Amino acid sequence: MAVFCRSAASVLKPVRFVPSAFANIRQCSSGDQYHYILVDKKGEKKNVGFIQLNRPKALNALCEGLMLEVGKALDTFEEDNEVGAVVITGSERAFAAGADIKEMQNRSFQECYGGNFLGHWNKVSTVKKPVIAAVNGYALGGGCELAMMCDIIYAGEKAQFGQPEILLGTIPGSGGTQRLTRTVGKSLAMEMVLTGDRISAQEAKQAGLVSKVFPVEQLVSEAVKCGEKIASNSKIVSAMAKEAVNAAFELTLAEGNRFEKRLFHATFATEDRKEGMTAFVEKRKAAFQDK
Ligand code: HXC
């Protein structure tokens, strides 16, 4: 098991787990390194990166510090060859109740525009490894946007999704008007963005926003199981598959199909493609090397 400690240069480095040193390292993984999140590796093979938002008193409101830490943890998992997928979750009460309103309250336009306020949030949608959001409780405003930046959303049956920014005199600023509309269609997206009304996990499932709904207490383990399944495939080919699906949001059908075909051809440059097909023919399980 690897956990994460701060090196002399303040760069996050995976540290190999030594059982006798467990207590100290555990403390380091969630105490010294991160203030707003808990970071771990889950699954039987410890191949699923795990990020838990951890500001319970503020219902995981996404302050800048928290989102910077999420970015750092994702960077670490990107570099960790053992990790094949990442799960982001919150608490049973709240995935995240949005961007931190208290932090935003007194900001000026000049500060927001000049400092590219929240520009770094995009990190979540640009990592190569698949990211699964496990959403229990509130996923509101930036919380809903954070979930939508992930590749797969699983929801607990009491989850609530919403874009209530209009009630604060502002609008979604991290993809809410764009990703939600592409996912659930214009009418429901408009209704959510213009009224601030929330939808339930079941409604979100029906609208295609989430792929599966689970009992609250099973949600995280099911998300980790999904992560393990993904991590057992070739990481390099999974990255291509993710890139191809994401291209569907940006390209025309003709361009997207052409892009997909090029990536499909590119899989033939990998050893894992050869192994996968050979394993099928030899009636055995493929042993991918991520090459
Ligand atoms: C800062 C927040 C917060 C937020 C909750 N809290 N949401 N603090 N930013 N987004 C804090 C409350 O101030 C309170 O702390 C504590 O969390 C518990 O919240 P309560 O309101 O007392 O809980 P409850 O009555 O159960 O109501 C839960 C809730 C409500 C329905 C989720 O808190 C709520 O409406 N929150 C705001 C949701 C929202 O508008 N989100 C969008 C934010 S704008 P104290 O210390 O006061 O007791 C946004 C823009 C994104 O996300 C733009 C780009 C990223």
Side-chain angles (χ1 to χ4, degrees):
M1 173 182 180
V3 288
F4 302 90
C5 288
R6 192 187 288 274
S7 73
S10 281
V11 174
L12 308 185
K13 295 243 167 74
V15 175
R16 194 137 302 276
F17 172 51
V18 182
S20 60
F22 181 72
N24 290 338
I25 291 176
R26 283 293 294 194
Q27 202 184 355
C28 181
S29 85
S30 59
D32 294 349
Q33 179 66 69
Y34 299 107
H35 292 293
Y36 302 112
I37 61 176
L38 302 173
V39 178
D40 203 348
K41 294 198 331 193
K42 301 260 190 203
E44 253 173 54
K45 295 183 180 159
K46 300 293 172 202
N47 53 5
V48 180
F50 188 77
I51 299 172
Q52 181 166 20
L53 312 182
N54 189 34
R55 286 187 81 198
K57 284 185 188 156
L59 302 185
N60 291 330
L62 304 167
C63 60
E64 281 228 73
L66 185 152
M67 287 306 293
L68 285 168
E69 287 189 1
V70 168
K72 271 186 181 181
L74 287 171
D75 278 342
T76 307
F77 288 140
E78 282 279 83
E79 285 170 21
D80 186 332
N81 292 334
E82 286 176 357
V83 169
V86 178
V87 169
I88 301 181
T89 195
S91 66
E92 287 194 0
R93 190 168 169 215
F95 177 72
D100 191 319
I101 299 167
K102 293 168 189 169
E103 204 176 69
M104 290 187 289
Q105 184 186 1
N106 295 317
R107 282 197 183 245
S108 66
F109 163 77
Q110 287 79 358
E111 282 168 353
C112 290
Y113 186 73
N116 193 19
F117 180 48
L118 303 184
H120 61 94
W121 280 37
N122 223 18
K123 170 105 217 160
V124 182
S125 62
T126 58
V127 292
K128 283 192 162 179
K129 292 184 180 172
V131 184
I132 302 157
V135 176
N136 266 324
Y138 299 114
L140 304 180
C144 187
E145 292 173 308
L146 172 61
M148 289 191 291
M149 282 179 213
C150 298
D151 302 306
I152 295 171
I153 307 179
Y154 277 7
E157 56 197 359
K158 294 192 180 143
Q160 292 184 38
F161 296 83
Q163 297 290 162
E165 289 89 343
I166 198 80
L167 307 175
L168 300 168
T170 185
I171 70 168
S174 225
T177 62
Q178 302 303 301
R179 291 194 178 94
L180 188 66
T181 307
R182 282 167 166 78
T183 307
V184 306
K186 179 175 168 181
S187 182
L188 181 56
M190 278 288 189
E191 193 182 346
M192 290 171 71
V193 168
L194 294 177
T195 66
D197 284 353
R198 304 175 204 151
I199 58 171
S200 67
Q202 289 70 25
E203 288 167 318
K205 166 90 169 62
Q206 206 175 3
L209 181 60
V210 312
S211 55
K212 291 199 173 91
V213 178
F214 295 98
V216 170
E217 62 287 353
Q218 282 173 28
L219 172 72
V220 171
S221 64
E222 291 293 340
V224 170
K225 264 191 232 164
C226 176
E228 285 182 283
K229 221 183 254 185
I230 292 169
S232 71
N233 297 325
S234 164
K235 294 183 187 64
I236 189 164
V237 178
S238 292
M240 290 184 199
K242 170 170 168 167
E243 202 181 350
V245 173
N246 277 334
F249 290 95
E250 287 166 12
L251 303 179
T252 63
L253 183 60
E255 289 165 343
N257 279 333
R258 195 160 44 239
F259 182 67
E260 178 196 74
K261 194 69 85 262
R262 294 291 168 259
L263 283 173
F264 168 69
H265 291 158
T267 65
F268 285 71
T270 69
E271 291 176 26
D272 285 343
R273 193 284 313 169
K274 179 85 176 156
E275 164 62 11
M277 293 189 181
T278 304
F280 175 82
V281 172
E282 293 177 354
K283 299 188 187 303
R284 61 175 173 81
K285 197 172 182 307
F288 295 120
Q289 303 294 320
D290 306 319
K291 289 179 187 160

